Amino acid sequence: MRSLKSAILSAAFALGLAGAAQASEAVHIPKQEWSHSGVFGTIDKASAQRGFQIFKEVCATCHSAKLVPIRTLSGIGFSEDELKAIAAGYEVQAGPNDAGEMFMRPGIPADRFPSPFPNDNAARAANNGALPPDLSLIAKARVGGEDYLYAFLTGFEENPPEGVTLMPGMNYNKVFPGHQVGMPNILMPDGVSFADGTPATVQQQAHDISTFLTFIAEPHMDARKQMGVKVILFLIVLAGLMYATKRKLWSTLH
């Protein structure tokens, strides 16, 4: 029994040291300004549309968003015709046909965004063994959410600090845990041309794609907030009516 207690204490001590070491390596993620922050905040649709352009032209070469239906884009202002045109730009697997064979067809808005690779092994083979994460819920899956995504996308440095040796095929990122990541720096100044004329700085691109990824992770956020405000207002009015009723009923009792 005594040896068991010692083992438990040793394990707890080791875990404590590991946790302390991990905490000491934690990187501060600066807070950014987001239109959707706060109770009354809403998604910046123009920014999210630019973010979709970045996703389509840059991110989607390696990353999937296979949980997101294309029709979700209606929430950031795309019309039905625009959704049909966007969907038709993808090919999705369908079938089987009468011969029992699968076939490819143009996408429709009800389809989900197809993956750039047929399977995970193909994705790893094309990315030096690293599996690019699906981006459907990445804004929810990372601590710090959109602030982390922005910091990560703007945190690449061509030359690592003195004393840091990168493993083959890795890139230095000052906010990524361990600071070594297989993903290269994909955002370049004027790497895309925005239709609305917004200057495509790295910071602007990082802000826009982070906004878009926040939207697809929770496309009903604006509606949820609006409903929450209505519920709070209703409860305030109900509380006032209940208080007035209580005063009325008890006013005759002395």
Side-chain angles (χ1 to χ4, degrees):
M1 179 64 71
R2 189 170 185 177
S3 60
L4 178 60
K5 289 182 178 179
S6 299
I8 293 174
L9 290 174
S10 298
F13 181 71
L15 289 173
L17 288 178
Q22 186 176 13
S24 66
E25 296 178 356
V27 177
H28 173 67
I29 304 298
K31 292 287 187 181
Q32 304 297 323
E33 293 291 332
W34 306 100
S35 67
H36 53 268
S37 297
V39 176
F40 300 102
T42 58
I43 285 289
D44 183 341
K45 294 183 179 181
S47 176
Q49 287 192 16
R50 293 193 298 268
F52 169 66
Q53 181 180 345
I54 298 169
F55 168 78
K56 183 179 179 181
E57 297 181 8
V58 182
C59 306
T61 57
C62 295
H63 293 275
S64 61
K66 58 188 177 183
L67 301 180
V68 182
I70 298 172
R71 64 188 175 196
T72 303
L73 299 180
S74 63
I76 54 175
F78 286 102
S79 67
E80 184 177 352
D81 290 338
E82 288 174 324
L83 292 177
K84 291 179 179 179
I86 292 170
Y90 295 97
E91 281 198 340
V92 298
Q93 188 179 61
N97 57 20
D98 294 339
E101 298 175 345
M102 304 301 289
F103 59 93
M104 303 301 291
R105 62 161 175 80
I108 60 175
D111 291 323
R112 297 178 180 182
F113 286 103
S115 172
F117 303 103
N119 52 62
D120 289 351
N121 287 342
R124 289 189 175 94
N127 290 277
N128 297 319
L131 178 63
D134 181 81
L135 299 183
S136 303
L137 299 173
I138 198 72
K140 293 293 185 182
R142 296 295 182 265
V143 175
E146 57 270 58
D147 289 322
Y148 171 80
L149 296 178
Y150 179 90
F152 172 78
L153 291 170
T154 58
F156 286 92
E157 295 183 0
E158 184 176 353
N159 299 312
E162 185 177 354
V164 176
T165 302
L166 294 178
M167 294 185 293
M170 302 300 281
N171 302 278
Y172 183 82
N173 188 288
K174 61 185 180 182
V175 301
F176 188 79
H179 305 298
Q180 300 197 44
V181 60
M183 173 179 158
N185 184 11
I186 59 171
L187 299 183
M188 300 296 170
D190 298 319
V192 297
S193 297
F194 293 131
D196 61 1
T198 300
T201 63
V202 170
Q203 291 75 17
Q204 184 67 55
Q205 293 177 65
H207 187 278
D208 291 340
I209 186 61
S210 298
T211 299
F212 174 72
L213 293 176
T214 299
F215 166 72
I216 63 173
E218 193 176 357
H220 303 296
M221 178 174 61
D222 288 355
R224 175 177 57 79
K225 287 183 177 181
Q226 293 171 4
M227 179 58 70
V229 170
K230 292 177 182 178
V231 170
I232 291 174
L233 292 175
F234 170 78
L235 291 176
I236 292 174
V237 172
L238 179 62
L241 292 174
M242 294 297 291
Y243 178 74
T245 302
K246 178 257 184 187
R247 291 288 302 269
K248 179 67 175 179
L249 291 175
W250 287 83
S251 62
T252 56
L253 300 178
H254 299 283

